[in-house]
Amino acid sequence: MMSDVCIVGAGIHPFGRTEGRDGMDQGIFAVRQALADSGIEWKDVEFAFGGSAASGSADNMVSQLGLTGIQFINVSNGCATGGSALNAAVSAIKSGEYEMGMAVGFDKHPRGAFNADPSAYGLPNWYGEAGYMLTVQFFGAKIMRYLHEHDISRETLGRVAEKAFRNGVKTDHAWRRSEVDLDTIMNAPMICDPLTKYMFCSPAEGAVALILASEKKARELGVPIIRLKSSVMRTRPPGSFEVFAASIDNERGGTATGIASKAAFEQAGMGPEDIDIAQLQDTESGAEIMHMAENGFCKPGEQEQWLLEGRSDITGQLPINTDGGCLACGEPIGASGLRQVYENVVQLRGTAGARQVPGNPKTAYTQVYGAPGVSAVTILQR
């Protein structure tokens, strides 16, 4: 029987803005922290998967870490880059070829919204000329439709942002560390109806590295073990409505997140009711609302009651985005998915400080979503 893959080390460079340090240097910082956390040296790492959208090829890190001849594969998968790197690293150990490796992601984006090239996604020029490559427009249109279909109030969007900033205050690695009250969020300048400026995350900087090992190797190291019960990445099915879709089908299908979540739960032998903590992609408030249902934690339309009753607060039934998520941390594309896993590792170890989830949590879930409709899910267990 295949044994579990374990996370034996985790490192993070604070998210936000760091003048005078480029994205790859932030990645190096995170790697060295993860190595120290696991008690190993760089020469002990047998392989690596890593990604960055704007800060160069991740394999260039070996110039500073050491020219050990390591297998280092670059990963690029939109906002799901980190989750995809982790998925590949897990597979490398499960194959039996390696016993210890690394997943790393980092980035340093300029200020302002992402504005991708239409041709890179197989889209006609008119799509970009109409402004649709600015993802904020797509997110606004998608959540407007979702609110209408499931009778959810705009105030629910505000409550997601209010929770994110409240959690960010307690998080050392978060960028936004000031609370913002609901009235301020709701009355802030409108960016893309119904989303105001506090309901969007910002392109940011940051890095995360995770050291993975076979269960046998993890036991030899003698460090706290967090088991990766599942790591799944999936692409969009027919009839889904995803970023950079030029139209929407009359006959609706599933979602990339929906099928990734289903596969992850099957792989782990668990269901949504078994999860103690969740980190869900929240590039804007609407994404967290939709992903709550797409990952099976509630039914569409129930999110409003969840937020009103604080069920997704740190002290709630299912704490969601305990470090403030993308809204408080910002989004460096290469690192974002791995930040979610880092947060869950810290929570399961019981070392999350002021934002520690009470009740001795044993299971944790992450979901990261990227263009043009990819999703990666992990389930961890202590």
Side-chain angles (χ1 to χ4, degrees):
M1 182 178 176
M2 176 68 66
S3 64
D4 290 326
V5 176
C6 304
I7 295 176
V8 295
I12 191 166
H13 183 283
F15 281 37
R17 295 286 175 204
T18 305
E19 299 299 330
R21 182 176 289 172
D22 65 26
M24 193 166 298
D25 283 342
Q26 294 180 40
I28 298 290
F29 179 100
V31 171
R32 288 179 172 150
Q33 193 178 87
L35 292 172
D37 186 47
S38 58
I40 65 170
E41 298 179 16
W42 173 244
K43 64 180 176 58
D44 301 318
V45 178
E46 299 172 319
F47 71 88
F49 289 86
S52 164
S55 295
S57 297
D59 66 303
N60 284 326
M61 301 174 87
V62 299
S63 296
Q64 295 188 57
L65 291 169
L67 301 176
T68 60
I70 184 177
Q71 172 188 291
F72 199 133
I73 296 177
N74 296 307
V75 178
S76 176
N77 222 355
C79 298
T81 291
S84 300
L86 181 61
N87 180 257
V90 170
S91 296
I93 293 177
K94 278 187 173 178
S95 74
E97 186 173 0
Y98 298 104
E99 285 206 284
M100 191 155 60
M102 179 181 75
V104 60
F106 55 87
D107 252 314
K108 185 182 184 82
H109 302 293
R111 299 176 190 277
F114 296 123
N115 188 11
D117 177 5
S119 64
Y121 291 89
L123 292 166
N125 286 337
W126 69 259
Y127 191 82
E129 291 166 357
Y132 292 119
M133 292 308 288
L134 285 170
T135 52
V136 290
Q137 300 225 38
F138 168 83
F139 290 133
K142 186 172 183 179
I143 190 59
M144 181 70 90
R145 177 189 177 95
Y146 193 89
L147 296 181
H148 171 74
E149 287 181 336
H150 301 292
D151 194 25
I152 298 172
S153 72
R154 292 178 179 228
E155 193 170 274
T156 305
L157 296 170
R159 292 189 188 281
V160 170
E162 183 184 36
K163 171 176 66 72
F165 295 123
R166 187 166 62 240
N167 292 351
V169 171
K170 303 173 182 174
T171 305
D172 292 342
H173 63 252
W175 182 11
R176 312 293 190 193
R177 302 196 63 191
S178 299
E179 291 197 34
V180 184
D181 64 74
L182 184 61
D183 284 345
T184 301
I185 292 168
M186 297 306 296
N187 294 311
M190 185 67 71
I191 303 298
C192 287
D193 198 13
L195 299 166
T196 71
K197 77 170 188 178
Y198 288 109
M199 298 176 187
F200 281 104
C201 78
S202 300
E205 305 173 16
V208 177
L210 300 173
I211 306 295
L212 282 69
S214 66
E215 185 162 353
K216 173 177 173 291
K217 192 69 177 178
R219 291 188 180 283
E220 289 175 5
L221 292 173
V223 297
I225 292 175
I226 303 297
R227 290 182 168 78
L228 262 156
K229 300 304 292 184
S230 63
S231 174
V232 171
M233 183 267 167
R234 293 289 187 271
T235 55
R236 58 200 179 283
S240 62
F241 184 30
E242 312 286 1
V243 181
F244 300 152
S247 61
I248 182 169
D249 294 344
N250 288 330
E251 187 173 341
R252 299 297 306 278
T255 67
T257 294
I259 58 176
S261 175
K262 183 173 185 294
F265 279 124
E266 288 176 356
Q267 190 176 100
M270 300 181 190
E273 68 280 3
D274 298 313
I275 301 300
D276 295 330
I277 315 164
Q279 316 296 330
L280 306 179
Q281 180 80 342
D282 62 332
T283 39
E284 36 77 33
S285 293
E288 180 171 317
I289 290 172
M290 290 184 281
H291 290 149
M292 288 170 67
E294 289 184 20
N295 287 284
F297 296 117
C298 68
K299 293 179 181 176
E302 291 182 348
Q303 296 96 327
E304 180 156 18
Q305 204 62 29
W306 269 64
L307 269 296
L308 274 171
E309 296 176 358
R311 291 188 225 171
S312 55
D313 287 354
I314 285 175
T315 54
Q317 168 187 333
L318 178 69
I320 294 176
N321 292 332
T322 48
D323 67 351
C326 289
L327 290 174
C329 295
E331 189 184 28
I333 286 179
S336 200
L338 294 177
R339 173 190 55 76
Q340 297 176 320
V341 180
Y342 173 90
E343 171 65 8
N344 278 348
V345 168
V346 172
Q347 289 284 353
L348 293 181
R349 287 177 174 176
T351 57
R355 67 182 189 283
Q356 178 65 49
V357 170
N360 199 20
K362 293 182 173 56
T363 56
Y365 184 98
T366 71
Q367 172 260 333
V368 62
Y369 171 84
V374 298
S375 196
V377 171
T378 69
I379 296 176
L380 307 187
Q381 186 178 58
R382 176 167 56 84

